Amino acid sequence: MFDAKQLLFDVIASFRTKLFQNKNNLELHFDENTGNQLQGDPLKIKQLIGNLFSFIESINTSNNISLSIVFEPINNDQKTILKINLKDQSSVKAYEIWNALQAGASFHSIKNRQGSLLALIVIQELTAILKGEMAILSNENNTGNSYYLTLCF
């Protein structure tokens, strides 16, 4: 059992200096109506969120990042769904990088994105290990990306 809210605060704290140096604004929203104790591997979740922040930081050209965290109990079960939604205002279409990776593109076939691609590979593998789902959507007018991560505990 671990405190998911504290774990997420710790991950954010580890990126605070870099976010501040790059003049990023970070908005954080927690759903206060549900508990935050989860059963699972906190290290993998920390790695997953940390790599997601690294990816966003590597492509973020705006300075605005929004993070929303929701814990939803599953009815008639003792499990909880952790939903993490991050948004940026980058002009880089992150879904194109994600889709290329999902389609089996090689590391070197995605030009000028090696660092961010490595973070996505780690995210993809950890999401699969944790039996979660990850989606990235990009706005049509090049004004940002939304990252949706769902994990079940």
Side-chain angles (χ1 to χ4, degrees):
M1 204 66 132
F2 67 95
D3 185 333
K5 187 183 279 188
Q6 186 59 52
L7 178 120
L8 293 168
F9 278 130
D10 292 346
V11 172
I12 291 166
S14 70
F15 281 89
R16 184 174 299 155
T17 302
K18 189 171 185 180
L19 290 169
F20 179 74
Q21 286 173 342
N22 293 333
K23 298 181 177 145
N24 282 300
N25 298 317
L26 176 64
E27 296 176 30
L28 179 60
H29 307 278
F30 272 103
D31 177 10
E32 297 295 335
N33 297 321
T34 57
N36 56 356
Q37 294 293 316
L38 296 177
Q39 184 90 24
D41 186 344
L43 181 58
K44 286 186 178 83
I45 294 168
K46 197 177 234 185
Q47 290 172 330
L48 186 62
I49 304 302
N51 276 285
L52 189 53
F53 264 109
S54 291
F55 174 74
I56 291 171
E57 180 63 28
S58 73
I59 67 163
N60 193 26
T61 57
S62 67
N63 292 336
N64 292 308
I65 299 171
S66 172
L67 172 61
S68 174
I69 310 292
V70 177
F71 300 96
E72 292 182 0
I74 300 174
N75 292 338
N76 301 324
D77 203 341
Q78 293 185 354
K79 294 189 176 186
T80 301
I81 296 176
L82 171 62
K83 292 184 178 180
I84 299 169
N85 180 7
L86 280 136
K87 293 183 180 182
D88 67 27
Q89 294 180 357
S90 174
S91 60
V92 174
K93 289 191 173 187
Y95 83 95
E96 291 177 355
I97 301 169
W98 180 251
N99 288 343
L101 179 62
Q102 297 296 306
S106 70
F107 187 79
H108 297 289
S109 67
I110 302 175
K111 305 251 188 255
N112 301 323
R113 300 269 181 246
Q114 278 75 18
S116 58
L117 182 59
L118 183 58
L120 274 184
I121 290 169
V122 171
I123 293 165
Q124 181 184 32
E125 293 301 315
L126 285 171
T127 302
I129 289 169
L130 294 169
K131 297 183 175 116
E133 295 179 5
M134 172 77 177
I136 299 176
L137 303 175
S138 297
N139 293 335
E140 291 297 321
N141 55 1
N142 293 340
T143 58
N145 302 288
S146 294
Y147 308 84
Y148 300 97
L149 178 61
T150 304
L151 303 170
C152 185
F153 295 92

